[in-house]
Amino acid sequence: MDWYEKLSKYFPIEEMKSKEHMELLLKEKGDVYHKDDGPYHVMMYAEFDSFIFIDYVWVSAKARGQGIGHKLIEKLKEHNKPIILEVEPVDYDDSDTEKRLHFYKREGFKHAQSIGYNRRSLATNEETPMEILYWSPNDESEEVIYEQMRKMYESIHTYKDEQLYGQSYQPVDEVLTFNEDRDSEDILSRLDRNQMK
């Protein structure tokens, strides 16, 4: 299996970029968009001047519990910039979503509760609400994280979208919102409460 097959077997279709899209990013934005892969892992990420965005992380089920995910995140933390990623809300029918959140919580990530993120998939044409997690070495505010997400969305997610997919993703203002009073529960603290039940 090549790196793309590994990712597309693990991630739902509505979250996947096309292989062509990722290869184009690696080729044309190779100074920003990177692939780190080995027999048991694939990580796609974008590194900007002031932050890092993790696009995809996959660790083989055979190698879970061996600290591969932790080492990948540690390597990024050494760059001393905020690290941002998208996660789907917990789906109790899919234990992986909960495991993933536990992993990021252990790695010191926080839930950006002020940021709303809902993008329509070009593959399924359905709305896909996601939550934003971030790790911040210098205690950046959620507003800073929001601005960084906007930059990433416009330069990575929508890169040449019309050429690649024959249609465009929604403009950033329709997809990302910032509201300090947003009615959103901290999905990471909810994990602990569910464990206590």
Side-chain angles (χ1 to χ4, degrees), residues 10-174:
Y10 183 67
F11 287 93
I13 184 169
E14 61 272 13
E15 290 174 34
M16 281 301 292
K17 290 177 176 59
S18 69
K19 187 172 190 181
E20 194 186 358
H21 187 168
M22 290 202 238
E23 284 177 338
L24 203 61
L25 286 166
L26 290 166
K27 189 171 135 208
E28 296 183 2
K29 291 206 163 207
D31 54 332
V32 172
Y33 198 76
H34 308 281
K35 174 174 61 152
D36 177 336
D37 68 331
Y40 297 113
H41 78 277
V42 179
M43 178 168 70
M44 311 298 288
Y45 67 98
E47 180 165 6
F48 296 89
D49 293 340
S50 60
F51 70 101
I52 294 171
F53 173 77
I54 299 177
D55 207 2
Y56 301 97
V57 179
W58 169 85
V59 174
S60 164
K62 290 186 194 120
R64 297 245 172 99
Q66 292 177 18
I68 293 175
H70 173 70
K71 285 186 191 119
L72 291 170
I73 300 292
E74 280 302 305
K75 210 156 52 170
L76 295 181
K77 284 180 178 175
E78 286 166 11
H79 299 225
N80 207 35
K81 303 173 179 180
I83 302 170
I84 308 173
L85 54 97
E86 306 161 1
V87 290
E88 63 255 43
V90 174
D91 171 355
Y92 292 102
D93 299 328
D94 173 5
S95 63
D96 271 1
T97 59
E98 204 170 345
K99 284 184 194 137
R100 209 172 297 137
L101 288 177
H102 277 291
F103 168 75
Y104 288 117
K105 185 173 185 180
R106 278 197 307 274
E107 295 297 329
F109 281 74
K110 294 179 183 160
H111 176 206
Q113 289 168 257
S114 317
I115 303 175
Y117 184 56
N118 193 354
R119 139 177 109 135
R120 188 175 302 110
S121 160
L122 294 182
T124 62
N125 207 28
E126 286 175 15
E127 299 269 323
T128 309
M130 302 282 273
E131 296 295 341
I132 306 301
L133 300 184
Y134 68 101
W135 174 84
S136 164
N138 305 308
D139 225 15
E140 273 80 2
S141 70
E142 290 192 8
E143 198 156 3
V144 168
I145 301 299
Y146 166 72
E147 291 303 335
Q148 293 170 338
M149 269 299 292
R150 286 177 63 93
K151 179 176 181 174
M152 179 286 306
Y153 180 81
E154 296 193 301
S155 52
I156 299 297
H157 282 354
T158 62
Y159 185 64
K160 296 197 172 175
D161 50 1
E162 208 154 321
Q163 174 190 324
L164 290 160
Y165 303 102
Q167 55 183 316
S168 299
Y169 278 107
Q170 298 137 283
V172 68
D173 291 328
E174 279 181 28

